[in-house]
Amino acid sequence: KAGVTQTPRYLIKTRGQQVTLSCSPISGHRSVSWYQQTPGQGLQFLFEYFSETQRNKGNFPGRFSGRQFSNSRSEMNVSTLELGDSALYLCASSLEGEAFFGQGTRLTVV
Amino acid sequence: TQLLEQSPQFLSIQEGENLTVYCNSSSVFSSLQWYRQEPGEGPVLLVTVVTGGEVKKLKRLTFQFGDARKDSSLHITAAQPGDTGLYLCAGEPPSGGYQKVTFGTGTKLQVIP
């Protein structure tokens, strides 16, 4: 059974640009959550999607958005990138409360 | 908002020593998970505990869920360098709502050979 796949693994962007990250959950998992992880703030919840609907949202500005497709694959988008957006972005798919994480996308904003 | 506090925040020990990491909350959880994360990788699920007072063992790791399902501990016996990593606990809120899983603040463990 394939795990959670995130693409790309690494990304370098310039301030002001936008970026789209992709997440393919484990087959059969309908819940996908996104997290931002930085050394100073730890693991911070961005949003959760379930059956194409945003079910929960963390405390992040509107520049951070996401969506989920009918096949449960999810994307998150960050517009007008800032230096502080540099982080490891993790996606997790869930079934019955247990979250299974992808390897993450390391985003560096320069 | 449900919060999970982990202690200690950092731990550096010699190979062969024992250690315990704590995960505490004032909220009740229907289940609690422990994850280990290595640098640059996503967290990997180690165990899920569901019943108050439950104890689970995974080789040299022993996990316990508090009787009131508000706290948990992770005990590592004879730590090895391969145990180095960030340990995260995560709690699932009681069923009936759409509240998200809450992650703890993390414990960074370094085992020195």
Side-chain angles (χ1 to χ4, degrees):
Chain A
K1 195 174 188 180
V4 178
T5 303
Q6 288 188 248
T7 55
R9 284 293 311 274
Y10 304 94
L11 206 48
I12 299 175
K13 289 285 189 178
T14 306
R15 270 184 305 174
Q17 287 187 311
Q18 74 161 16
V19 67
T20 299
L21 312 182
S22 179
C23 173
S24 293
I26 292 172
S27 177
H29 288 195
R30 292 159 66 189
S31 171
V32 174
S33 298
W34 288 90
Y35 296 84
Q36 182 195 65
Q37 189 174 37
T38 58
Q41 298 295 321
L43 201 65
Q44 291 193 288
F45 172 75
L46 280 157
F47 27 68
E48 180 203 4
Y49 286 87
F50 183 87
S51 293
E52 301 179 66
T53 301
Q54 187 180 86
R55 193 159 70 173
N56 283 294
K57 189 176 189 304
N59 189 26
F60 276 81
R63 299 186 297 107
F64 292 81
S65 62
R67 59 177 174 169
Q68 187 179 33
F69 302 95
S70 58
N71 62 359
S72 293
R73 189 177 71 85
S74 177
E75 289 181 346
M76 69 162 279
N77 185 77
V78 187
S79 61
T80 319
L81 283 164
E82 300 176 1
L83 294 178
D85 297 334
S86 295
L88 181 67
Y89 288 88
L90 292 161
C91 162
S93 73
S94 300
L95 186 66
E96 297 178 350
E98 292 183 342
F100 296 87
F101 285 86
Q103 291 180 296
T105 294
R106 169 71 64 186
L107 172 65
T108 302
V109 183
V110 297
Chain B
T1 304
Q2 296 174 306
L3 296 174
L4 277 168
E5 296 286 337
Q6 286 184 240
S7 61
Q9 204 174 352
F10 300 98
L11 196 52
S12 182
I13 61 171
Q14 294 290 326
E15 181 177 359
E17 292 185 2
N18 301 333
L19 67 118
T20 302
V21 176
Y22 300 93
C23 174
N24 295 300
S25 175
S26 58
S27 304
V28 175
F29 294 98
S30 62
S31 69
L32 195 138
Q33 294 84 43
W34 283 93
Y35 295 82
R36 179 170 67 218
Q37 183 181 21
E38 298 185 12
E41 301 292 328
V44 175
L45 179 65
L46 296 173
V47 76
T48 297
V49 285
V50 179
T51 307
E54 180 178 4
V55 176
K56 279 192 174 178
K57 290 194 175 184
L58 187 67
K59 296 183 182 178
R60 294 175 293 99
L61 279 60
T62 302
F63 305 86
Q64 184 163 9
F65 203 11
D67 291 339
R69 290 186 288 131
K70 292 183 180 181
D71 53 81
S72 180
S73 64
L74 157 61
H75 182 79
I76 301 179
T77 303
Q80 297 178 4
D83 296 327
T84 293
L86 177 68
Y87 288 82
L88 294 159
C89 62
E92 183 190 6
S95 59
Y98 291 140
Q99 296 177 65
K100 58 180 176 62
V101 168
T102 301
F103 276 85
T105 47
T107 294
K108 197 166 185 178
L109 171 65
Q110 180 187 34
V111 182
I112 302 166

